[in-house]
Amino acid sequence: QTGAGKTHTMYGSSDQPGLAPRVMDEIFKLSKRDAHKMTYHISCTLVELYRDDLVDLLTEKKGATKLEVKKDAKGFVYVQGAVVKKCSNATELQDYLDEGTSRRHVAATKMNADSSRSHLIFTILLEVTNNQTQKTTNGKITLADLAGSERVNKSGASGDQLKEAQSINKSLTALGDVIEALSANKPHVPYRNHKLTMLMSDTLGGTAKALMFVNISPADYNYDESVNSLTYASRVKLITNTGKKSEDSKETKRLKEKIAQLQQGLADETTMQRE
């Protein structure tokens, strides 16, 4: 629901931090606490889904690389071509988030002075190695700040804003279809119907643990939208996932890194031949 405070819930303010700053602080508190037995490698990516196109918010070279949603052998979803930034502390991670969100598409509507016109996906990648056993555990935290659904006759959207609203509503409908399929334990879940659901497929299903905040407006003229949002939330509560660790031995990790280097070398060679 547009204008209900979703972005504020995610980021908050300097004196009232939201979900994202709290998550980042907690990650580095844990890494400091376990420094004597674990080695943490932390990095991040930040992309927005704007009018069905993926945009890398951590690069200034717009359109230089085509971004595609991919899934690795372990079932982790990632955006191929997106810039990955390494982070050594929470401040650095916050700086990358601030840098990226400053480039996000926003616009003023009748219902929200700073309406998000895209979905923003901030992914924190964690690689944790046990110093004694040398086993590596890989994980990721996906913080998704979704644009809100809006009724055009209320928001007053026209021109590009109208196209943005239509794209947002279409993607949220696809997300609703996925949530309905998961909550009903249907054999087929339509993740591939939209880039948004492809991006969130390992967050909503599989071995992930998911937490969703649904914001509603207290205004009486938003009654219908609020009821729809609460119905949406009740479906989400029916989804149950089982968390599972993803671990690699030291040798497995070394071989995967070697394969990744060879694949990158082949990709670079192909690019040079085309040029």
Side-chain angles (χ1 to χ4, degrees):
Q1 187 178 146
T2 187
K6 296 181 300 303
T7 297
H8 181 74
T9 299
M10 184 63 74
Y11 309 117
S13 58
S14 57
D15 57 332
Q16 292 182 321
L19 180 64
R22 292 170 188 265
V23 167
M24 292 185 280
D25 284 341
E26 190 64 25
I27 288 172
F28 284 97
K29 282 180 183 177
L30 291 174
S31 68
K32 186 176 181 180
R33 184 197 70 184
D34 298 337
H36 64 289
K37 59 181 180 181
M38 301 285 189
T39 300
Y40 280 70
H41 295 285
I42 299 167
S43 56
C44 69
T45 63
L46 181 59
V47 300
E48 71 171 347
L49 184 58
Y50 175 70
R51 286 172 58 171
D52 299 334
D53 289 325
L54 285 169
V55 180
D56 190 346
L57 297 178
L58 293 182
T59 180
E60 295 181 0
K61 299 177 180 178
K62 300 301 179 184
T65 304
K66 183 180 179 181
L67 303 182
E68 294 185 11
V69 182
K70 298 287 186 180
K71 185 175 287 190
D72 66 16
K74 290 184 178 294
F76 281 8
V77 172
Y78 66 98
V79 179
Q80 187 178 62
V83 171
V84 179
K85 297 286 189 179
K86 294 181 179 179
C87 309
S88 56
N89 54 63
T91 300
E92 201 168 77
L93 198 54
Q94 181 67 56
D95 287 344
Y96 286 132
L97 179 59
D98 292 342
E99 175 189 339
T101 52
S102 68
R103 298 181 179 134
R104 186 182 187 181
H105 287 86
V106 296
T109 69
K110 289 181 179 180
M111 298 185 71
N112 189 352
D114 294 297
S115 176
S116 301
R117 312 311 291 170
S118 66
H119 303 303
L120 188 142
I121 311 294
F122 183 49
T123 304
I124 303 173
L125 305 167
L126 300 102
E127 183 181 276
V128 185
T129 302
N130 185 305
N131 296 335
Q132 184 174 357
T133 66
Q134 291 301 302
K135 278 192 174 181
T136 299
T137 302
N138 296 288
K140 73 171 187 173
I141 298 173
T142 302
L143 298 171
D145 179 19
L146 303 182
S149 61
E150 63 180 75
R151 296 194 176 183
V152 176
N153 61 337
K154 286 186 176 181
S155 66
S158 61
D160 285 342
Q161 288 186 21
L162 176 59
K163 293 178 181 178
E164 291 165 353
Q166 291 170 337
S167 177
I168 291 167
N169 290 340
K170 178 183 176 182
S171 64
L172 293 176
T173 298
L175 181 58
D177 292 340
V178 165
I179 288 172
E180 182 181 6
L182 287 170
S183 62
N185 291 316
K186 292 183 179 180
H188 173 68
V189 181
Y191 289 121
R192 300 190 67 84
N193 284 2
H194 199 278
K195 286 182 182 178
L196 175 64
T197 48
M198 289 171 66
L199 277 168
M200 299 183 67
S201 60
D202 63 343
T203 302
L204 292 170
T207 60
K209 290 187 176 181
L211 177 65
M212 180 179 285
F213 289 84
V214 177
N215 296 55
I216 61 173
S217 167
D220 57 0
Y221 61 83
N222 287 331
Y223 174 82
D224 290 342
E225 292 94 326
S226 296
V227 170
N228 288 337
S229 296
L230 291 173
T231 302
Y232 202 88
S234 66
R235 287 179 180 172
V236 175
K237 288 187 68 176
L238 297 174
I239 302 171
T240 303
N241 293 337
T242 302
K244 182 181 177 182
K245 285 186 177 180
S246 175
E247 293 184 335
D248 286 331
S249 66
K250 184 178 181 180
E251 180 63 11
T252 302
K253 179 186 174 185
R254 186 188 70 79
L255 290 171
K256 284 186 175 181
E257 289 175 346
K258 185 65 176 177
I259 291 170
Q261 289 173 359
L262 291 171
Q263 289 176 332
Q264 185 60 50
L266 286 171
D268 292 343
E269 184 177 339
T270 302
T271 301
M272 290 176 64
Q273 289 176 350
R274 287 176 179 174
E275 292 176 350

